[in-house]
Amino acid sequence: MARRSVPARREDRVWSPIRRLWDLFDLRSDLDEIFDELMEAPFITRPLWSAGFPAVDIAETENEVVVKAEIPGIDPKNVEVNVTEDSVEIKGEVKDEWEEKDVGYCRKERYYGTFERSIALPAKVKQDEVKASYKDGILTISLPKVEPSKPKARKVEIEVEK
């Protein structure tokens, strides 16, 4: 047998048609929102991936920062990498269309879209020496770190005031 919860406040124990009417409006609003999302989802056009694409791993060694981005199935010619001294931006476009003759289809899908991701780096890097490579769906970007400048000490003369 299910237990009924006891209301915490007195006004919750008093039946009110207005309060119940507002509860119904809230329920109706929530259900409308759910059905709108379900009906809209297959038909809307959004960027191909959200802000979390591509998935990246960032590793820092003593001499460099290495960023590995997963971009499987994307032609590296359609990917652009831009580097500043403290960030790297990966942009690209996917177009996947193909045609096969003499094949009967029940379903044929194409996908296309763009992606863009900016990644803050844990250290300043030398922009001119950055290298990128692509193998097996993984884009690897090697970013050599800027050598930390050693602060130079300068002797300051002390003036004696009279």
Side-chain angles (χ1 to χ4, degrees):
M1 187 157 85
R3 291 185 176 190
R4 295 180 73 186
S5 62
V6 178
R9 298 180 305 225
R10 176 166 167 45
E11 60 268 11
D12 289 339
R13 287 185 259 153
V14 177
W15 186 83
S16 166
I18 294 175
R19 182 175 294 118
R20 299 302 171 233
L21 188 58
W22 284 113
D23 289 346
L24 286 175
F25 283 135
D26 287 344
L27 177 63
R28 173 68 191 258
S29 173
D30 291 345
L31 288 173
D32 283 346
E33 188 176 321
I34 291 170
F35 282 113
D36 287 346
E37 287 178 15
L38 288 173
M39 294 306 294
E40 193 177 273
F43 307 108
I44 56 176
T45 55
R46 297 181 198 164
L48 187 58
W49 291 281
S50 64
F53 185 86
V56 296
D57 294 330
I58 303 169
E60 182 179 9
T61 65
E62 188 175 315
N63 300 321
E64 70 178 352
V65 176
V66 177
V67 175
K68 291 186 179 186
E70 296 180 20
I71 52 172
I74 298 174
D75 187 350
K77 294 175 190 165
N78 295 331
V79 177
E80 182 179 316
V81 177
N82 297 310
V83 179
T84 65
E85 67 178 15
D86 59 357
S87 71
V88 63
E89 180 183 60
I90 304 169
K91 294 195 271 188
E93 183 176 14
V94 177
K95 290 182 182 178
D96 195 2
E97 295 184 9
W98 61 94
E99 183 176 332
E100 296 176 16
K101 298 186 185 230
D102 301 324
V103 177
Y105 282 98
C106 293
R107 180 176 177 174
K108 185 173 180 178
E109 295 183 357
R110 293 167 192 80
Y111 57 93
Y112 60 92
T114 60
F115 63 90
E116 183 174 333
R117 181 142 186 212
S118 183
I119 302 144
L121 298 173
K124 293 192 183 233
V125 297
K126 299 176 187 174
Q127 293 171 268
D128 299 335
E129 297 179 24
V130 173
K131 295 188 181 186
S133 62
Y134 180 84
K135 182 179 179 186
D136 297 331
I138 305 292
L139 173 66
T140 304
I141 307 166
S142 299
L143 306 122
K145 290 164 96 175
V146 173
E147 291 93 19
S149 60
K150 295 179 182 176
K152 295 180 181 179
R154 180 176 153 254
K155 186 175 181 179
V156 177
E157 295 293 324
I158 302 173
E159 293 180 21
V160 179
E161 294 182 21
K162 294 183 182 181

